[in-house]
mmCIF file of all heavy atoms in Angstrom:
data_model
loop_
_atom_site.group_PDB
_atom_site.id
_atom_site.type_symbol
_atom_site.label_atom_id
_atom_site.label_comp_id
_atom_site.label_asym_id
_atom_site.label_seq_id
_atom_site.Cartn_x
_atom_site.Cartn_y
_atom_site.Cartn_z
ATOM 1 N N PRO A 79 7.576 -11.553 0.180
ATOM 2 C CA PRO A 79 8.384 -12.626 0.735
ATOM 3 C C PRO A 79 9.387 -13.214 -0.257
ATOM 4 O O PRO A 79 10.539 -13.479 0.090
ATOM 5 C CB PRO A 79 7.337 -13.686 1.148
ATOM 6 C CG PRO A 79 6.055 -12.928 1.281
ATOM 7 C CD PRO A 79 6.141 -11.876 0.217
ATOM 8 N N ILE A 126 1.018 -7.973 2.568
ATOM 9 C CA ILE A 126 1.998 -8.950 2.139
ATOM 10 C C ILE A 126 1.587 -9.513 0.785
ATOM 11 O O ILE A 126 0.450 -9.969 0.606
ATOM 12 C CB ILE A 126 2.128 -10.096 3.165
ATOM 13 C CG1 ILE A 126 2.388 -9.519 4.563
ATOM 14 C CG2 ILE A 126 3.242 -11.047 2.782
ATOM 15 C CD1 ILE A 126 2.276 -10.541 5.668
ATOM 16 N N VAL A 128 1.694 -12.221 -2.088
ATOM 17 C CA VAL A 128 1.972 -13.654 -2.267
ATOM 18 C C VAL A 128 1.645 -14.065 -3.697
ATOM 19 O O VAL A 128 0.536 -14.445 -4.027
ATOM 20 C CB VAL A 128 1.199 -14.522 -1.245
ATOM 21 C CG1 VAL A 128 1.781 -14.323 0.149
ATOM 22 C CG2 VAL A 128 -0.290 -14.200 -1.229
ATOM 23 N N THR A 132 5.814 -20.563 -2.680
ATOM 24 C CA THR A 132 6.937 -20.331 -1.758
ATOM 25 C C THR A 132 6.732 -19.050 -0.969
ATOM 26 O O THR A 132 6.990 -18.993 0.227
ATOM 27 C CB THR A 132 8.254 -20.276 -2.538
ATOM 28 O OG1 THR A 132 8.440 -21.505 -3.243
ATOM 29 C CG2 THR A 132 9.421 -20.047 -1.608
ATOM 30 N N ALA A 133 6.277 -17.999 -1.652
ATOM 31 C CA ALA A 133 6.023 -16.730 -0.971
ATOM 32 C C ALA A 133 4.962 -16.888 0.110
ATOM 33 O O ALA A 133 5.048 -16.282 1.187
ATOM 34 C CB ALA A 133 5.583 -15.674 -1.990
ATOM 35 N N THR A 134 3.944 -17.695 -0.165
ATOM 36 C CA THR A 134 2.877 -17.911 0.818
ATOM 37 C C THR A 134 3.418 -18.616 2.051
ATOM 38 O O THR A 134 3.090 -18.250 3.185
ATOM 39 C CB THR A 134 1.744 -18.739 0.189
ATOM 40 O OG1 THR A 134 1.331 -18.110 -1.026
ATOM 41 C CG2 THR A 134 0.556 -18.817 1.118
ATOM 42 N N ARG A 135 4.250 -19.627 1.857
ATOM 43 C CA ARG A 135 4.837 -20.359 3.003
ATOM 44 C C ARG A 135 5.705 -19.416 3.843
ATOM 45 O O ARG A 135 5.676 -19.467 5.069
ATOM 46 C CB ARG A 135 5.632 -21.552 2.495
ATOM 47 C CG ARG A 135 4.775 -22.650 1.887
ATOM 48 C CD ARG A 135 5.630 -23.769 1.313
ATOM 49 N NE ARG A 135 6.424 -24.430 2.339
ATOM 50 C CZ ARG A 135 6.017 -25.492 3.047
ATOM 51 N NH1 ARG A 135 4.811 -25.990 2.828
ATOM 52 N NH2 ARG A 135 6.800 -26.039 3.941
ATOM 53 N N ILE A 136 6.474 -18.573 3.173
ATOM 54 C CA ILE A 136 7.331 -17.623 3.905
ATOM 55 C C ILE A 136 6.453 -16.610 4.651
ATOM 56 O O ILE A 136 6.741 -16.252 5.807
ATOM 57 C CB ILE A 136 8.291 -16.909 2.936
ATOM 58 C CG1 ILE A 136 9.285 -17.918 2.345
ATOM 59 C CG2 ILE A 136 9.032 -15.779 3.645
ATOM 60 C CD1 ILE A 136 10.157 -17.348 1.259
ATOM 61 N N ALA A 137 5.390 -16.144 4.007
ATOM 62 C CA ALA A 137 4.485 -15.181 4.649
ATOM 63 C C ALA A 137 3.869 -15.753 5.915
ATOM 64 O O ALA A 137 3.799 -15.090 6.951
ATOM 65 C CB ALA A 137 3.393 -14.760 3.674
ATOM 66 N N VAL A 138 3.415 -17.006 5.845
ATOM 67 C CA VAL A 138 2.818 -17.655 7.013
ATOM 68 C C VAL A 138 3.825 -17.747 8.153
ATOM 69 O O VAL A 138 3.502 -17.510 9.315
ATOM 70 C CB VAL A 138 2.290 -19.046 6.619
ATOM 71 C CG1 VAL A 138 1.916 -19.858 7.863
ATOM 72 C CG2 VAL A 138 1.075 -18.899 5.707
ATOM 73 N N THR A 139 5.064 -18.061 7.819
ATOM 74 C CA THR A 139 6.111 -18.144 8.834
ATOM 75 C C THR A 139 6.431 -16.779 9.430
ATOM 76 O O THR A 139 6.729 -16.658 10.626
ATOM 77 C CB THR A 139 7.387 -18.761 8.221
ATOM 78 O OG1 THR A 139 7.077 -20.048 7.677
ATOM 79 C CG2 THR A 139 8.470 -18.911 9.265
ATOM 80 N N ALA A 140 6.354 -15.735 8.591
ATOM 81 C CA ALA A 140 6.730 -14.392 9.035
ATOM 82 C C ALA A 140 5.629 -13.674 9.816
ATOM 83 O O ALA A 140 5.906 -12.715 10.539
ATOM 84 C CB ALA A 140 7.127 -13.545 7.833
ATOM 85 N N LEU A 141 4.381 -14.109 9.672
ATOM 86 C CA LEU A 141 3.264 -13.395 10.287
ATOM 87 C C LEU A 141 3.406 -13.179 11.797
ATOM 88 O O LEU A 141 3.147 -12.073 12.292
ATOM 89 C CB LEU A 141 1.932 -14.102 9.970
ATOM 90 C CG LEU A 141 1.284 -13.702 8.648
ATOM 91 C CD1 LEU A 141 0.099 -14.621 8.338
ATOM 92 C CD2 LEU A 141 0.838 -12.253 8.676
ATOM 93 N N PRO A 142 3.802 -14.165 12.593
ATOM 94 C CA PRO A 142 3.949 -13.921 14.035
ATOM 95 C C PRO A 142 4.943 -12.809 14.349
ATOM 96 O O PRO A 142 4.697 -11.986 15.249
ATOM 97 C CB PRO A 142 4.429 -15.272 14.580
ATOM 98 C CG PRO A 142 3.924 -16.275 13.592
ATOM 99 C CD PRO A 142 4.025 -15.593 12.257
ATOM 100 N N ARG A 143 6.062 -12.774 13.634
ATOM 101 C CA ARG A 143 7.060 -11.723 13.855
ATOM 102 C C ARG A 143 6.529 -10.360 13.400
ATOM 103 O O ARG A 143 6.779 -9.346 14.061
ATOM 104 C CB ARG A 143 8.344 -12.073 13.100
ATOM 105 C CG ARG A 143 9.467 -11.050 13.246
ATOM 106 C CD ARG A 143 9.898 -10.870 14.682
ATOM 107 N NE ARG A 143 11.079 -10.006 14.792
ATOM 108 C CZ ARG A 143 11.455 -9.419 15.917
ATOM 109 N NH1 ARG A 143 10.776 -9.613 17.042
ATOM 110 N NH2 ARG A 143 12.524 -8.655 15.932
ATOM 111 N N ILE A 144 5.799 -10.344 12.304
ATOM 112 C CA ILE A 144 5.212 -9.084 11.837
ATOM 113 C C ILE A 144 4.236 -8.539 12.856
ATOM 114 O O ILE A 144 4.234 -7.341 13.171
ATOM 115 C CB ILE A 144 4.514 -9.308 10.476
ATOM 116 C CG1 ILE A 144 5.547 -9.593 9.385
ATOM 117 C CG2 ILE A 144 3.675 -8.091 10.092
ATOM 118 C CD1 ILE A 144 4.960 -10.029 8.064
ATOM 119 N N VAL A 155 -3.216 -9.662 3.086
ATOM 120 C CA VAL A 155 -2.426 -10.504 2.181
ATOM 121 C C VAL A 155 -3.085 -10.426 0.809
ATOM 122 O O VAL A 155 -4.305 -10.578 0.687
ATOM 123 C CB VAL A 155 -2.352 -11.963 2.664
ATOM 124 C CG1 VAL A 155 -1.605 -12.816 1.659
ATOM 125 C CG2 VAL A 155 -1.654 -12.032 4.026
ATOM 126 N N ASN A 163 -6.167 -19.273 -0.278
ATOM 127 C CA ASN A 163 -5.781 -19.573 1.098
ATOM 128 C C ASN A 163 -6.479 -18.668 2.101
ATOM 129 O O ASN A 163 -6.001 -18.473 3.219
ATOM 130 C CB ASN A 163 -4.264 -19.441 1.258
ATOM 131 C CG ASN A 163 -3.506 -20.528 0.517
ATOM 132 O OD1 ASN A 163 -3.560 -21.695 0.883
ATOM 133 N ND2 ASN A 163 -2.808 -20.131 -0.544
ATOM 134 N N MET A 166 -7.303 -20.039 5.783
ATOM 135 C CA MET A 166 -6.100 -20.198 6.595
ATOM 136 C C MET A 166 -5.542 -18.845 7.027
ATOM 137 O O MET A 166 -5.164 -18.648 8.187
ATOM 138 C CB MET A 166 -5.035 -20.969 5.813
ATOM 139 C CG MET A 166 -3.720 -21.111 6.562
ATOM 140 S SD MET A 166 -2.368 -21.732 5.531
ATOM 141 C CE MET A 166 -2.088 -20.328 4.434
ATOM 142 N N LEU A 167 -5.497 -17.895 6.089
ATOM 143 C CA LEU A 167 -4.942 -16.576 6.394
ATOM 144 C C LEU A 167 -5.776 -15.855 7.458
ATOM 145 O O LEU A 167 -5.236 -15.219 8.362
ATOM 146 C CB LEU A 167 -4.853 -15.732 5.125
ATOM 147 C CG LEU A 167 -3.830 -16.252 4.081
ATOM 148 C CD1 LEU A 167 -4.004 -15.512 2.756
ATOM 149 C CD2 LEU A 167 -2.417 -16.098 4.595
ATOM 150 N N LEU A 170 -5.066 -16.986 10.821
ATOM 151 C CA LEU A 170 -3.784 -16.487 11.318
ATOM 152 C C LEU A 170 -3.822 -15.009 11.685
ATOM 153 O O LEU A 170 -2.802 -14.427 12.040
ATOM 154 C CB LEU A 170 -2.701 -16.722 10.256
ATOM 155 C CG LEU A 170 -2.378 -18.198 9.970
ATOM 156 C CD1 LEU A 170 -1.422 -18.308 8.788
ATOM 157 C CD2 LEU A 170 -1.765 -18.852 11.203
#
Side-chain angles (χ1 to χ4, degrees):
I126 307 169
V128 289
T132 301
T134 307
R135 291 176 63 90
I136 294 173
V138 168
T139 303
L141 274 171
R143 180 60 173 162
I144 292 171
V155 177
N163 291 291
M166 177 191 70
L167 293 169
L170 294 173

